[in-house]
Amino acid sequence: MANHKSALKRIRNSETKRLRNRYQHKTARNAVKKLKELTSKKEAEKMFPEVVSMIDRLAKKNIIHANKASNLKSQLSRHVAAL
């Protein structure tokens, strides 16, 4: 167990951040899944910028790697273009 005040605060902060990161990551994954399941090009084109924005935010905060974000965006844009 932590003995210093700063270590206790660090534990609280890291748990809060972990939960926030987990929530954002899960939300983005669900959005990606939903976009991949769409068959209407119009809906997909409308949803695409929102999902890309989510992915960019995750990469910016180092929740996912920048290359993974790039791969996901590329994959999604190909999917939307193919509809």
Side-chain angles (χ1 to χ4, degrees):
M1 186 63 209
N3 292 321
H4 296 284
K5 259 188 173 181
S6 59
L8 292 170
K9 181 177 179 180
R10 180 56 110 179
I11 289 168
R12 287 195 308 269
N13 283 344
S14 59
E15 179 63 12
T16 304
K17 287 175 184 176
R18 183 185 74 84
L19 292 174
R20 186 182 305 123
N21 290 343
R22 201 168 146 209
Y23 170 77
Q24 289 175 345
H25 194 183
K26 186 68 173 175
T27 305
R29 279 202 310 259
N30 286 338
V32 166
K33 209 176 288 183
K34 210 174 280 185
L35 182 61
K36 283 182 181 178
E37 289 172 355
L38 287 178
T39 53
S40 164
K41 187 175 178 94
K42 196 173 186 179
E43 284 181 45
E45 285 177 339
K46 183 181 172 196
M47 192 176 176
F48 180 69
E50 297 168 12
V51 176
V52 167
S53 175
M54 283 179 165
I55 293 170
D56 284 337
R57 247 179 276 137
L58 292 178
K60 184 180 177 185
K61 294 179 181 176
N62 291 320
I63 298 171
I64 62 174
H65 196 277
N67 291 354
K68 181 183 173 79
S70 185
N71 289 336
L72 275 172
K73 290 191 293 185
S74 169
Q75 194 179 58
L76 290 174
S77 66
R78 277 184 296 165
H79 171 72
V80 171
L83 288 176

